[in-house]
Amino acid sequence: MIGKDRRVGAYLRTTTGPDPDTGKPILAWHFDRDAIDAEAATDGWYALLTNLPPDQADAAQVLILYKGQEAVERRYSAFKGPVAALFLKNNRRIAALVTVICLALLIFCLIERQVRQALATQGHTKIEGPDGPPSPPPVSSSLPSPP
């Protein structure tokens, strides 16, 4: 049961039975080192399927595009957040709201880009915060609010 819940069943080997000396039930277990090593050999490997023709993108370019997907998804979640709670009564207002939000996101992206470029000219890639270690490269949520 624990092996199924914790997903270690493929690596955990158990033996049950009576103890030959006392006749009491015993449970012996160990991890299968060969199974763990075989699984570890494939860590970090995954398949990417694309509809791009091979002359448009090689494997490295497909990986770069895939890794860049996170930025798009982060923007999409920022876009989706304020719209989900609003009830607009006509299509014209919906289009206007979407336009305003898209412009706001564009401004955020440009601010992030400008901060990253300014840091790069100073030889920095991270913002040093007052309360701890440097933060990762700046995104709009890590930039200080205006006074």
Side-chain angles (χ1 to χ4, degrees), residues 50-126:
T50 180
N51 58 356
L52 294 172
D55 60 334
Q56 257 188 349
D58 62 1
Q61 290 168 323
V62 169
L63 181 62
I64 289 169
L65 291 170
Y66 175 76
K67 293 289 185 170
Q69 180 179 343
E70 181 272 330
V72 173
E73 289 178 357
R74 185 168 25 101
R75 297 285 179 232
Y76 181 72
S77 70
F79 170 76
K80 193 171 75 171
V83 175
L86 296 176
F87 298 99
L88 300 174
K89 296 187 181 196
N90 63 39
N91 288 341
R92 187 169 168 225
R93 288 185 179 183
I94 293 170
L97 178 65
V98 169
T99 302
V100 168
I101 291 174
C102 286
L103 287 173
L105 288 174
L106 176 63
I107 291 168
F108 269 136
C109 291
L110 292 173
I111 291 170
E112 287 177 358
R113 180 175 165 232
Q114 192 169 359
V115 170
R116 284 190 196 110
Q117 287 175 344
L119 286 174
T121 61
Q122 298 172 5
H124 299 289
T125 58
K126 299 181 179 200

